[in-house]
Amino acid sequence: MFLFEKALEGSRRYQLWVAGLVAFIGVAFVVYLHQLRYGLGITGMSRNVSWGLYIGQFTFLVGIAASAVMVVIPYYLHNRREFGRMTILGESLAVAAVTMCLAFILIDMGSPTRALNVILYPQFHSIMFWDMVSLSGYLFLNAIITVNALHAEQQNLPLAGWLSPVIRLSIPWAISIHTVTAFLYCGLPGRMFWRTAVLAPRFLASAFAAGPALLILLCLLARKLTGYDVGKKAIDGLAVVVTYAMLANVFLLMMELFTAFYSHVPELTEHLKLMYLGQGGPTLLGVFGQVSLLLMFAALAPLLVPRLRRSERWLTIACAAVFTSLWMDKGVCLVVCGFSPSPLGAVTSYVPTLPEVTITLGVWAAGALMITVFYKIAIAVNAEEGAEHSPTYEPGGARGPVGSAAHASQAGVLSSPGQFPASGDGTSGRDRR
Amino acid sequence: MRDKFWILGGLLLFVGVATLPTWRDWETHANTRPPALVLPAHAKQCVAPLDFMRGSHMQLLLDWRQSAVRENNPTYVAYDGKTYPKSLTKTCLSCHDKREFCDRCHDYVGARTPYCWNCHVDPALGKGAAR
Amino acid sequence: MKITRKEFLKLSGAGLVLVFGGRELAALDRAAGATFPGGAKPRPRKQWAMIVDTAKCAKEPGCTRCIEACDAAHNIPAIPDKAHEIQWIWNEPADVVFDESDVQYLDAARRDEQIPVLCNHCDQPPCVRVCPTGATWKREEDGIVMMDWHRCIGCRYCMAACPYGARSFNWVDPRAYLANPNPDFPTRTLGVVEKCTFCSERVVAGKLPACVEACPEKALLFGDVNDPHSEVREVLSESYVLRRKPELGTGPNIYYRI
């Protein structure tokens, strides 16, 4: 069933890691049960800062999920085969991220037992309803794509034809999930920090930097731990995506800063001052804002120098900086800063409590577990296929046309496994033009 | 039939677990007779006939809730033409005692007390009755 | 099966229009309704409104009778932790209530003057627009922004949407902070949002809201602002009034006579 059996066996290190994650998730779940009984008063949230870490993580992770398109587009739309191995990892990262998003939404709810009211009494004017529709749809699409792509790869067959429109649909859908998430914020009349038209574009830019940065780190980690190599060309290609997206994000941030500070409208500046300067001394929010800004530029420096970007060591550092910076910016500051000062001018400090942090880490642990299991399956399937068909992969490690053509011809199609077959009339995406 | 032990053992275990409540009641000498409900002394008739109330009081309460809260229609016209406020506390509990009436039956049938009481106040508590 | 990139872009564009352009825009449009004068959405038949006479209110410095009456009528818990406080009607200083009001040269005594604030029962309530379950809605018949505490899932989107801070969330069990709950009105349960309902339970019985009734100076005036002959309209026709953040287009129905 879904190739799950592949995740049940592994080295001692793998078993220990999975056991550790499961144990931590268990602890976090017990803490969540306590939150359920006692109420959200257990967290650092308050009357004035009524959303916190949970919704911040949700927002950030929607971006991670959406960023899977940054590998799906080159692989499926532009036939860039070097992204083949990376694509399955990117899609399963999206599945894990969306699942985490849904978990964070549920955890943040005051009355989660009534969650189905969103479906029983749908309110089409609520962006929250559309967010639910887009997120669950995206989860569904990616789950279908991932499972079928893995099966195709295992049986060394090209992807089923019906999957093509599903994959193509997942591309605009990915853009939509993060746009709708931005709409959650930028459509609120009284929250000036969020009420900006560049919020959705900036969400997308930061997502397309943070997500691929995480994917690069995961790919490098997978190679180190298992020897599974997605190939230098794919990593380099994705590094360019991270660079452009980060540039776009910083550019849009500069637009925000200029508009606020040059117009000098207090409603606009006061949030940004709190975020980057703190309030009469360092605050947690101020420190987060400053470190995030610093890391943004620190990450751009090596990314912008091609020689450094192609060096794996520098790329690792840059990607870690990109991810951390944007996590701080979007996963924490964005939400908290939108609430302070409050519409009544109150500045309320928000410090997540220990139970809140534990629950949050528990969801991240669940995400890590999903990634571990998904990647284990993907890598096991790949190794199996390799063993059965004595592969002739390109030196780079990407699914090369040489090897795949060899066994593709056995199957009677002229395409590599996991790619779509050329249709009978010879009109493949490339030939047709 | 070399798995006889496991199959029969498993079946026995299943039967045991499935009938656990019975064994527990037998062991603790639990009273399995339905509670003798104390009916209100000063009122002879409920807002609907007994049969309906026994089987569908929850549906009636949900209807009341819907129309009183969401449709701004706070008055219930009963089958006999009498009118009542659509209110758990003001109508139901003006005759019935929550602990003697609602709770005893809910406990007996094992329908865990619904969360009405998280919000709706039992007036008996306010009068200083023992909790 | 293959399609060219150009075709794909066209298709996805069409998809976006279908997904967003159709239902969503129609729904958004319905929700946003007539924000501008002359818009299509008719005002409710009746629109309850309130005028707070700040001069009358200031005659009794330190008076909190309206607040106490409301708290008692609606089982509002006295939670000492400010972060978890529940407020339906409460006092704020003038410079907080009206962000444009300039108090820097005002007498210290007057600067501390407290003005009652409550839910504005807006014409275009943002809380209603965002609520994913319909747990809060604007009543057609009298314009009250109602709450259904049975329906609320506690997502707190409405709290983010309200520009007046009029909504409170039950972070902890409110029963623990209620010495003697009033059985005529429910308390709330853990994990739902609540706010002033303009005493819908009293209004339906033909009574005035509890705060209005309790005010010793008769500083609170309640009435139908859609009725040109109402007392509310009379006062509005002859005095200068302020509303909180009218520039946001929410159409607040609490007026402050200065």
Side-chain angles (χ1 to χ4, degrees):
Chain A
M1 182 64 181
F2 299 132
L3 300 163
F4 188 68
E5 69 280 358
K6 303 246 180 282
L8 296 177
E9 50 197 35
S11 64
R12 182 148 186 81
R13 191 177 53 184
Y14 170 77
Q15 287 171 350
L16 273 176
W17 167 246
V18 169
L21 285 178
V22 170
F24 188 79
I25 295 166
V27 171
F29 187 72
V30 172
V31 178
Y32 173 67
L33 289 181
H34 184 54
Q35 174 188 300
L36 211 52
R37 213 172 24 246
Y38 180 83
L40 283 162
I42 207 174
T43 68
M45 290 184 274
S46 61
R47 195 182 152 76
N48 283 332
V49 184
S50 48
W51 280 343
L53 203 52
Y54 298 152
I55 293 293
Q57 303 310 292
F58 155 76
T59 311
F60 179 72
L61 286 164
V62 176
I64 299 292
S67 73
V69 288
M70 289 293 114
V71 287
V72 169
I73 291 177
Y75 183 58
Y76 289 112
L77 221 53
H78 298 257
N79 283 324
R80 293 272 296 271
R81 299 245 165 114
E82 67 266 27
F83 281 95
R85 285 186 151 195
M86 197 184 242
T87 301
I88 198 88
L89 300 190
E91 283 164 345
S92 44
L93 176 60
V95 172
V98 181
T99 313
M100 289 167 77
C101 288
L102 296 174
F104 274 116
I105 291 262
L106 263 177
I107 287 168
D108 187 69
M109 257 181 212
S111 307
T113 48
R114 302 175 179 176
L116 282 182
N117 281 0
V118 179
I119 298 161
L120 293 175
Y121 311 100
Q123 304 291 312
F124 300 121
H125 48 69
S126 173
I127 297 296
M128 188 94 67
F129 171 79
W130 293 104
D131 208 41
M132 182 210 64
V133 170
S134 63
L135 277 181
S136 41
Y138 191 66
L139 178 60
F140 184 65
L141 287 178
N142 273 287
I144 290 183
I145 295 167
T146 313
V147 170
N148 280 286
L150 275 175
H151 273 294
E153 188 171 358
Q154 191 192 26
Q155 284 150 21
N156 205 37
L157 290 171
L159 287 182
W162 60 266
L163 209 56
S164 169
V166 177
I167 290 170
R168 281 153 206 274
L169 177 65
S170 81
I171 294 170
W173 204 290
I175 310 287
S176 88
I177 61 169
H178 216 26
T179 307
V180 175
T181 309
F183 285 177
L184 280 179
Y185 293 97
C186 66
L188 304 179
R191 306 281 177 184
M192 297 309 284
F193 183 63
W194 299 331
R195 214 188 68 191
T196 158
V198 304
L199 196 73
R202 201 175 155 220
F203 267 26
L204 288 167
S206 59
F208 295 160
L214 178 62
L215 190 55
I216 288 176
L217 292 175
L218 288 173
C219 289
L220 293 177
L221 191 66
R223 193 186 64 195
K224 197 165 179 230
L225 295 176
T226 70
Y228 179 81
D229 190 2
V230 298
K232 177 91 178 122
K233 269 174 95 181
I235 297 270
D236 284 350
L238 206 56
V240 174
V241 170
V242 174
T243 310
Y244 275 115
M246 194 59 173
L247 278 175
N249 172 59
V250 171
F251 175 74
L252 291 171
L253 175 60
M254 294 303 125
M255 300 296 99
E256 291 282 18
L257 293 176
F258 171 81
T259 311
F261 288 102
Y262 194 81
S263 71
H264 210 265
V265 174
E267 277 183 334
L268 300 175
T269 57
E270 55 196 3
H271 297 282
L272 291 164
K273 278 185 186 161
L274 266 180
M275 178 154 157
Y276 292 118
L277 303 174
Q279 195 194 30
T283 56
L284 189 62
L285 182 67
V287 170
F288 262 65
Q290 285 164 5
V291 173
S292 156
L293 201 60
L294 210 70
L295 284 176
M296 256 178 230
F297 289 104
L300 271 180
L303 283 176
L304 283 171
V305 181
R307 198 171 47 82
L308 294 182
R309 188 174 65 228
R310 281 188 217 111
S311 133
E312 240 162 51
R313 180 187 301 246
W314 278 104
L315 183 62
T316 309
I317 296 171
C319 286
V322 165
F323 183 81
T324 315
S325 158
L326 293 176
W327 176 79
M328 292 172 111
D329 183 53
K330 207 165 160 187
V332 182
C333 297
L334 169 92
V335 174
V336 179
C337 214
F339 284 107
S340 36
S342 77
L344 294 175
V347 176
T348 314
S349 89
Y350 164 75
V351 182
T353 59
L354 186 62
E356 193 176 6
V357 171
T358 311
I359 294 172
T360 305
L361 288 177
V363 178
W364 277 94
L369 180 63
M370 281 185 273
I371 293 290
T372 308
V373 169
F374 293 158
Y375 283 21
K376 177 87 169 68
I377 294 173
I379 292 169
V381 164
N382 187 277
E384 196 174 80
E385 180 214 21
E388 277 172 22
H389 299 277
S390 56
T392 41
Y393 284 122
E394 274 183 319
R399 258 187 308 220
V402 188
S404 46
H407 38 73
S409 51
Q410 298 164 3
V413 282
L414 284 165
S415 180
S416 63
Q419 274 275 0
F420 291 107
S423 10
D425 56 1
T427 50
S428 79
R430 286 183 183 282
D431 302 338
R432 206 135 132 200
R433 264 172 296 136
Chain B
M1 277 304 273
R2 64 198 164 85
D3 289 335
K4 188 155 60 177
F5 171 76
W6 294 108
I7 294 171
L8 288 180
L11 272 176
L12 262 178
L13 189 69
F14 171 76
V15 171
V17 170
T19 53
L20 194 64
T22 317
W23 301 117
R24 209 176 140 270
D25 279 359
W26 179 72
E27 201 258 337
T28 57
H29 307 288
N31 183 5
T32 50
R33 266 175 304 158
L37 289 183
V38 184
L39 291 175
H42 60 276
K44 281 276 151 273
Q45 185 52 58
C46 198
V47 297
L50 179 67
D51 274 353
F52 178 82
M53 290 310 288
R54 196 173 272 158
S56 309
H57 62 279
M58 57 300 252
Q59 194 52 52
L60 180 94
L61 285 171
L62 288 179
D63 289 348
W64 279 15
R65 161 177 119 179
Q66 172 77 15
S67 70
V69 177
R70 303 193 70 92
E71 287 147 24
N72 196 17
N73 178 5
T75 308
Y76 177 67
V77 182
Y79 68 108
D80 55 3
K82 275 199 202 151
T83 57
Y84 301 91
K86 287 174 185 160
S87 164
L88 179 64
T89 17
K90 284 178 214 160
T91 301
C92 308
L93 294 188
S94 69
C95 295
H96 299 290
D97 185 290
K98 171 187 174 280
R99 278 162 305 166
E100 292 298 316
F101 191 77
C102 314
D103 288 356
R104 282 180 66 188
C105 209
H106 271 264
D107 284 349
Y108 170 68
V109 298
R112 216 156 47 94
T113 311
Y115 68 5
C116 311
W117 311 105
N118 285 7
C119 297
H120 293 278
V121 182
D122 177 6
L125 292 180
K127 286 177 203 141
R131 268 195 88 119
Chain C
M1 212 52 244
K2 291 262 178 183
I3 50 175
T4 65
R5 211 166 303 152
K6 199 171 158 194
E7 280 173 327
F8 168 72
L9 289 176
K10 268 196 239 161
L11 273 177
S12 51
L16 279 178
V17 170
L18 269 179
V19 172
F20 288 96
R23 275 170 116 174
E24 181 153 9
L25 276 188
L28 284 176
D29 196 44
R30 241 179 290 129
T35 316
F36 305 102
K41 193 179 182 180
R43 281 179 67 97
R45 272 168 274 168
K46 216 182 237 178
Q47 173 64 60
W48 294 122
M50 189 187 281
I51 303 175
V52 179
D53 192 319
T54 55
K56 281 187 189 166
C57 185
K59 279 191 200 157
E60 296 259 354
C63 169
T64 51
R65 298 270 274 281
C66 53
I67 301 168
E68 287 155 19
C70 176
D71 288 0
H74 302 118
N75 287 323
I76 289 165
I79 300 175
D81 185 349
K82 286 263 171 228
H84 299 160
E85 227 175 351
I86 308 283
Q87 291 170 317
W88 283 29
I89 176 168
W90 73 102
N91 279 332
E92 291 283 356
D95 59 330
V96 168
V97 178
F98 310 111
D99 22 35
E100 69 271 41
S101 83
D102 198 334
V103 292
Q104 58 174 328
Y105 298 120
L106 206 62
D107 265 359
R110 286 212 60 194
R111 203 183 307 163
D112 295 337
E113 223 167 69
Q114 298 286 311
I115 295 179
V117 290
L118 62 156
C119 169
N120 276 292
H121 296 277
C122 301
D123 291 339
Q124 299 294 336
C127 54
V128 170
R129 199 177 310 147
V130 302
C131 179
T133 62
T136 191
W137 71 99
K138 188 165 178 70
R139 287 214 304 216
E140 286 296 326
E141 63 270 29
D142 59 5
I144 289 181
V145 175
M146 264 300 274
M147 283 263 3
D148 182 352
W149 294 301
H150 309 100
R151 181 75 67 85
C152 175
I153 58 172
C155 70
R156 311 192 292 298
Y157 198 7
C158 55
M159 291 176 80
C162 176
Y164 307 104
R167 288 176 164 269
S168 311
F169 179 70
N170 285 279
W171 300 99
V172 291
D173 183 8
R175 282 273 174 104
Y177 300 91
L178 278 167
N180 228 341
N182 164 20
D184 290 338
F185 199 82
T187 68
R188 262 69 63 204
T189 188
L190 186 67
V192 298
V193 173
E194 60 180 271
K195 68 166 198 82
C196 156
T197 61
F198 247 174
C199 279
S200 64
E201 79 286 359
R202 293 171 62 94
V203 170
V204 76
K207 287 192 276 189
L208 284 173
C211 54
V212 176
E213 205 176 77
C215 179
E217 293 294 334
K218 303 272 168 273
L220 305 178
L221 183 65
F222 181 79
D224 177 12
V225 79
N226 279 0
D227 172 6
H229 307 295
S230 66
E231 208 185 337
V232 173
R233 281 288 289 271
E234 210 171 285
V235 174
L236 289 178
S237 67
E238 61 195 18
S239 28
Y240 266 110
V241 290
L242 288 180
R243 289 190 293 171
R244 295 170 69 196
K245 301 180 194 279
E247 72 280 5
L248 296 179
T250 54
N253 279 299
I254 309 293
Y255 296 81
Y256 292 88
R257 190 168 180 229
I258 302 305

